[in-house]
Amino acid sequence: MDVLDTSISIPKGDEASEQGEKVSKKVCACLKIFMKTYKGSLLQFFDQLLSRMEHMWVKDKTVKERKIALKIFADVVEEFREEALKFCESELLLLFKACNDDEPEVQEVAAHGIGVAAAFGGSIFKPLVGEAVSALNANISDSMALHRDYIMAHDAAVTALEQIYLFHKDRINASEQVFSTWLSHLPIKNNLLEVKIAHDLLCSIVEISEDELLR
């Protein structure tokens, strides 16, 4: 926590700021290892970690800092699942907003985070399904979505939409056409991380929705 505080407090544009961003990235990697190793015992630090993330993803921070904050959030949700999301409704709303940020790199990490929250958030995520779908659809349907600068974010958003369909089908409004929208954007080819996730999910959807998928 102390190292993270120091690295994010370096003024933007300072000669040391680039090094500070590298340190923040390393801290993020360490936190992921800590979460997997110590699990529940880290929950006592959750409020402190949340305050750092909120500080790092505000607009005046660099793209790298905001990406790191969103990635930490996704790692926390993946590890602690519903237990984490109990405290994070306002942060999820920020995640939906970041899905349509001006910066495509931020869009990509935010869309990936929405997918993680959909997969692991259980009942806590369900009331926010409509807002999540709206955010992802706005990303996918943007006129620049398939431009080379934005295609990685597009692929992440398509995969996140697939995760919402798989895990929260019961909360999807029929008028939102999540299934047909997701299917019309396959295959995704550019974001290799999301490609693997998307193909694994497609296999799962074939298993549980064979008739609907083939139709």
Side-chain angles (χ1 to χ4, degrees), residues 68-84:
I68 290 167
L70 293 170
K71 189 175 185 310
I72 291 173
F73 179 81
D75 289 343
V76 168
V77 171
E78 184 171 353
E79 193 60 44
F80 297 116
R81 308 193 175 200
E82 291 183 64
E83 188 68 30

Side-chain angles (χ1 to χ4, degrees), residues 65 108 111 193 201 212:
E65 284 178 305
E108 179 189 352
L193 169 64
L201 291 171
E212 185 177 4

Side-chain angles (χ1 to χ4, degrees), residues 35-210:
M35 284 185 279
K36 288 187 178 299
T37 305
Y38 299 108
K39 296 187 182 294
S41 60
L42 282 187
L43 280 175
Q44 61 183 303
F45 300 107
F46 188 73
D47 287 344
Q48 297 174 49
L49 187 57
L50 205 60
S51 67
R52 268 77 169 186
M53 289 188 290
E54 289 174 344
H55 180 66
M56 289 172 70
W57 66 28
V58 293
K59 274 283 188 182
D60 65 334
K61 296 299 178 183
T62 66
V63 171
K64 288 182 180 178
E65 284 178 305
R66 291 162 67 206
K67 281 176 61 182
I68 290 167
L70 293 170
K71 189 175 185 310
I72 291 173
F73 179 81
D75 289 343
V76 168
V77 171
E78 184 171 353
E79 193 60 44
F80 297 116
R81 308 193 175 200
E82 291 183 64
E83 188 68 30
L85 285 186
K86 286 178 184 178
F87 307 97
C88 292
E89 183 172 343
S90 60
E91 283 72 30
L92 273 173
L93 297 178
L94 287 172
L95 200 69
F96 300 158
K97 188 175 181 181
C99 187
N100 295 285
D101 192 85
D102 295 335
E103 297 289 344
E105 291 181 46
V106 173
Q107 289 184 18
E108 179 189 352
V109 180
H112 178 78
I114 292 172
V116 170
F120 297 104
S123 61
I124 306 298
F125 186 84
K126 284 189 182 298
L128 301 171
V129 163
E131 291 174 81
V133 168
S134 295
L136 293 167
N137 278 336
N139 180 295
I140 292 168
S141 62
D142 189 273
S143 60
M144 294 293 288
L146 297 179
H147 186 276
R148 65 181 183 182
D149 291 340
Y150 291 85
I151 191 67
M152 300 288 276
H154 164 272
D155 287 0
V158 172
T159 304
L161 204 61
E162 187 175 9
Q163 287 166 302
I164 289 174
Y165 176 79
L166 180 60
F167 294 102
H168 302 281
K169 185 179 178 181
D170 58 318
R171 294 302 294 261
I172 295 172
N173 190 312
S175 64
E176 291 172 323
Q177 298 182 319
V178 171
F179 184 86
S180 58
T181 300
W182 155 69
L183 199 58
S184 69
H185 284 269
L186 293 181
I188 59 174
K189 302 175 181 178
N190 298 278
N191 191 326
L192 296 183
L193 169 64
E194 301 298 338
V195 165
K196 184 181 185 308
I197 297 170
H199 289 171
D200 287 345
L201 291 171
L202 179 58
C203 291
S204 298
I205 290 172
V206 168
E207 290 174 358
I208 64 173
S209 309
E210 181 181 349

Side-chain angles (χ1 to χ4, degrees), residues 19-31:
Q19 291 299 319
E21 289 172 354
K22 290 179 180 178
V23 171
S24 295
K25 191 173 181 179
K26 294 292 186 183
V27 170
C28 179
C30 288
L31 284 170

